Amino acid sequence: MTLVKEDIAAYFRDLQTLICSGIEQADEQGSFREDSWDRPEGGGGHSRVIVNGKILEKAGVNFSAVHGPLHPKIVSSMDIQDEVDFFASGVSIVMHPKNPWVPIIHMNVRYFELSNGQHWFGGGIDLTPHIIIPEQAKWFHQQIKNVCDQSNSAYYPKFKAWADDYFYSPHREETRGIGGIFFDYLKSNSVEEKNQHFDFVKQVGESFVPIYAHLMHENANKEFAQAEKDFQLLRRGRYVEFNLVHDRGTKFGLETNGRTESILMSMPPMASWEYMYDVNTYPEGAKTIELLKKGIDWA
């Protein structure tokens, strides 16, 4: 049976609901409020956001299914000679916790199709601890490796390295966090292969709640002082820098007249930038900075 874009979008819409329900249970207090939006050029989406939950200070789960003429900048960047229409659908998630010991998490799963017949999947999941706990970093990567191995044992090393390269801020010479996996242009040459790629994307998407709920419960009740809170705000500032300067998804959304509120949902509610910050004033933070590098074999 041929897999069509409407089927994929319907799954992503259901995935949004599944994830929101699971995260509400894990938070025990916060509930997502939803607002729907339309894109003038075609399509729209549903944004769901928690503010001031028990564990989560701000969390967003976005679904979108948009279509229309492909923006000229995107056409040129993809080396397409003719004007084409596009269809894009997916779910994008960012969660900012209250407690500095609970990590930021990001996930995105998406499908892209052009009117010239090209189509592909993309996505990934990555973790940005404010303060890295090596044992939890190893646990996270092992969970992601397990997900990848269900589909293809070559996926994890390939997509882990891709995440290391993608989630890197050259102007800071550091990674955004401890990485995870990132993949894009997962193209299919047959109906069977397309179904296999879709199954992999489903496995990534459905791993989100078990993984993050575990990390929430492991860390949400840990004590912290002002030093941890200050460092959390500084790390959030670095997160903002990456998303605004380097993130392709943010750029694509803004350049294709996406909904600004939903695109910038990934921003934390509070962040800080301190001039010439001396990380040695907070030794635990200095340890974290030392681990923000590519190529660490966490798994």
Side-chain angles (χ1 to χ4, degrees), residues 82-145:
D82 303 320
E83 292 186 6
V84 295
D85 290 340
F86 80 96
F87 171 87
S89 183
V91 173
S92 182
I93 303 167
V94 177
M95 305 206 160
H96 293 284
K98 292 180 176 179
N99 191 314
W101 292 103
V102 182
I104 301 169
I105 194 167
H106 161 257
M107 188 190 80
N108 174 268
V109 284
R110 59 189 179 273
Y111 174 73
F112 205 91
E113 183 174 303
L114 300 179
S115 57
N116 64 6
Q118 295 186 54
H119 58 269
W120 61 88
F121 290 98
I125 179 170
D126 65 283
L127 203 68
T128 303
H130 309 102
I131 305 162
I132 294 175
I133 303 171
E135 294 76 14
Q136 292 187 13
K138 293 175 183 178
W139 180 87
F140 171 76
H141 272 271
Q142 187 60 55
Q143 305 313 301
I144 300 302
K145 183 178 184 300

Side-chain angles (χ1 to χ4, degrees), residues 26-28 53-57 96-99 102 216-217 220:
D27 186 85
E28 299 179 356
K54 181 180 178 180
I55 299 174
L56 298 169
E57 188 171 1
H96 293 284
K98 292 180 176 179
N99 191 314
V102 182
M216 290 167 69
H217 293 150

Side-chain angles (χ1 to χ4, degrees), residues 106 108 123-127 140-141 144-145 147-148 155-164 167 178-183 200 204 207:
H106 161 257
N108 174 268
I125 179 170
D126 65 283
L127 203 68
F140 171 76
H141 272 271
I144 300 302
K145 183 178 184 300
V147 170
C148 290
Y155 278 176
Y156 175 75
K158 178 180 179 181
F159 297 159
K160 191 267 185 190
W162 202 340
D164 281 356
F167 296 109
I178 62 164
I181 57 169
F182 177 85
F183 57 95
F200 170 62
V204 172
S207 74

Side-chain angles (χ1 to χ4, degrees), residues 5-294:
K5 61 181 183 290
E6 290 82 7
D7 296 331
I8 298 169
Y11 169 79
F12 286 147
R13 184 71 173 94
D14 290 342
L15 179 64
Q16 181 193 39
T17 299
L18 178 71
I19 288 172
C20 288
S21 176
I23 292 300
E24 284 179 347
Q25 292 180 34
D27 186 85
E28 299 179 356
Q29 175 179 301
S31 60
F32 286 92
R33 59 187 178 96
E34 177 178 304
D35 60 301
S36 301
W37 51 274
D38 294 317
R39 179 174 177 270
E41 292 86 351
H46 308 276
S47 296
R48 296 185 182 182
V49 177
I50 279 180
V51 177
N52 290 324
K54 181 180 178 180
I55 299 174
L56 298 169
E57 188 171 1
K58 179 187 176 187
V61 183
N62 284 338
F63 161 79
S64 63
V66 298
H67 57 87
L70 197 61
H71 192 281
K73 285 186 179 180
I74 307 298
V75 171
S76 61
S77 70
M78 297 174 65
D79 196 27
I80 298 172
Q81 304 302 318
D82 303 320
E83 292 186 6
V84 295
D85 290 340
F86 80 96
F87 171 87
S89 183
V91 173
S92 182
I93 303 167
V94 177
M95 305 206 160
H96 293 284
K98 292 180 176 179
N99 191 314
W101 292 103
V102 182
I104 301 169
I105 194 167
H106 161 257
M107 188 190 80
N108 174 268
V109 284
R110 59 189 179 273
Y111 174 73
F112 205 91
E113 183 174 303
L114 300 179
S115 57
N116 64 6
Q118 295 186 54
H119 58 269
W120 61 88
F121 290 98
I125 179 170
D126 65 283
L127 203 68
T128 303
H130 309 102
I131 305 162
I132 294 175
I133 303 171
E135 294 76 14
Q136 292 187 13
K138 293 175 183 178
W139 180 87
F140 171 76
H141 272 271
Q142 187 60 55
Q143 305 313 301
I144 300 302
K145 183 178 184 300
N146 292 345
V147 170
C148 290
D149 288 350
Q150 291 179 53
S151 293
N152 189 322
S153 60
Y155 278 176
Y156 175 75
K158 178 180 179 181
F159 297 159
K160 191 267 185 190
W162 202 340
D164 281 356
D165 289 336
Y166 183 83
F167 296 109
Y168 181 76
S169 293
H171 68 283
R172 293 288 189 183
E173 296 185 332
E174 65 184 33
T175 55
R176 189 173 77 176
I178 62 164
I181 57 169
F182 177 85
F183 57 95
D184 206 358
Y185 303 112
L186 201 59
K187 297 183 178 181
S188 311
N189 296 315
S190 67
V191 172
E192 181 183 11
E193 188 176 31
K194 187 175 184 181
N195 285 322
Q196 290 171 350
H197 289 162
F198 189 35
D199 285 342
F200 170 62
V201 167
K202 289 179 180 179
Q203 289 160 2
V204 172
E206 292 167 24
S207 74
F208 181 86
V209 170
I211 288 173
Y212 197 53
H214 172 81
L215 293 169
M216 290 167 69
H217 293 150
E218 281 286 301
N219 299 292
N221 294 320
K222 289 183 178 177
E223 294 184 0
F224 61 90
Q226 191 61 45
E228 282 78 30
K229 198 65 183 175
D230 289 344
F231 193 68
Q232 178 190 44
L233 295 177
L234 285 166
R235 295 311 309 166
R236 283 179 173 182
R238 300 290 175 91
Y239 196 90
V240 170
E241 287 179 26
F242 177 86
N243 281 19
L244 293 179
V245 176
H246 302 296
D247 187 68
R248 293 202 326 242
T250 301
K251 292 179 180 180
F252 174 81
L254 295 174
E255 289 180 350
T256 57
N257 198 27
R259 184 176 186 249
T260 302
E261 285 295 320
S262 297
I263 296 165
L264 298 182
M265 173 275 296
S266 64
M267 300 301 150
M270 295 282 289
S272 68
W273 289 261
E274 182 177 330
Y275 181 69
M276 298 295 289
Y277 173 72
D278 182 4
V279 71
N280 293 312
T281 61
Y282 178 53
E284 201 66 42
K287 294 177 186 177
T288 285
I289 297 296
E290 285 296 313
L291 292 171
L292 295 176
K293 61 181 70 172
K294 300 180 185 180

